[in-house]
Amino acid sequence: MTKLRLFALLLAFAPALGLAASAGPLESSGTDLSDRASLQRGAGLYMNYCAGCHALSLHRYSRIAEDLGLSPELVEQHLMPANAKIGENINTGISAGDGNAWFGKAPPDLSLTARARLGGPDWIYSYLKGFYIDEARPMGWNNTVFPGASMPHVLWEMQGIQRPVYEQGADGQPHVARLELVQPGRLDAKAYDQVARDISAFLQYVAEPAALKRESVGVWVVLFLAFFTFIAYLLKVEYWRDVH
């Protein structure tokens, strides 16, 4: 079995393998791939806050420039490390060895996260909003969507610090019922929601870049089919005119 077929099989059975599992209900992200400004903001946020640990090895800097309407010079200046080249894949992040040593597990490549996780961008959006303080965790943080997450909350200065409010579940064990903000961040709730939405939209785009062109081409396809249907109707009327 080729690597490509094996990867496709893994994606197909992702829910069964636990790759798409979520511990709680997901919030609607409201991402819009036609919102280029959101994708551009998401790219900047990702490169500034996420790319230090997580690579996007299936994507290229040049593709970001082309798809998001950014000049190569702008991408080189603001979205790339100094030693990278515009045509290279986004192999940022830390080594597997350092990741295992620092976090207990190497940070994953996020190229296909929006496709591998059940809920796609909604999962990412809810995850970015679901961090809370948990002194029992090595990094001091936990997550309602992905309990036991090894990563710290890198956006905490923007969102603020949340603590969980527990309620006893049907199994008799305490469960996180909701999160309450105990230390405000730089942004209010609405502004942070937009940050989480922009990053989610960017990762949705990265997981399937062709979706941008497919959606734009789809409009023209629908218009062509509507026009062709109208012409076919007029042709039918003309053919059947003498029959009646």
Side-chain angles (χ1 to χ4, degrees), residues 4 8 16 31 35 44 49 53 85 97 114 120 147 178 187 218 223 228 230 242:
L4 182 59
T31 56
D35 187 348
Y49 290 95
C53 293
K85 296 181 179 179
R178 66 182 187 279
L187 305 179
L223 290 175
F228 178 79
F230 176 69
D242 296 334

Side-chain angles (χ1 to χ4, degrees), residues 110-193:
L110 301 185
S111 299
L112 297 174
T113 297
R115 296 182 65 182
R117 293 289 180 180
L118 189 64
D122 293 347
W123 189 95
I124 299 170
Y125 178 76
S126 302
Y127 177 76
L128 293 175
K129 293 184 62 178
F131 279 96
Y132 63 90
I133 284 290
D134 184 351
E135 291 80 0
R137 296 295 302 159
M139 290 292 145
W141 296 92
N142 212 327
N143 194 280
T144 55
V145 175
F146 192 27
S150 299
M151 69 172 284
H153 185 20
V154 296
L155 304 177
W156 74 270
E157 290 183 316
M158 286 191 280
Q159 184 187 27
I161 297 176
Q162 300 182 120
R163 286 194 178 275
V165 176
Y166 292 95
E167 290 182 358
Q168 187 172 358
D171 57 0
Q173 299 297 319
H175 295 273
V176 178
R178 66 182 187 279
L179 300 177
E180 60 180 21
L181 190 66
V182 295
Q183 180 179 320
R186 297 201 313 263
L187 305 179
D188 59 25
K190 183 177 180 181
Y192 182 76
D193 285 354

Side-chain angles (χ1 to χ4, degrees), residues 9-21 115-118:
L9 186 63
L10 286 173
L11 279 182
F13 287 95
L17 295 174
L19 297 177
R115 296 182 65 182
R117 293 289 180 180
L118 189 64

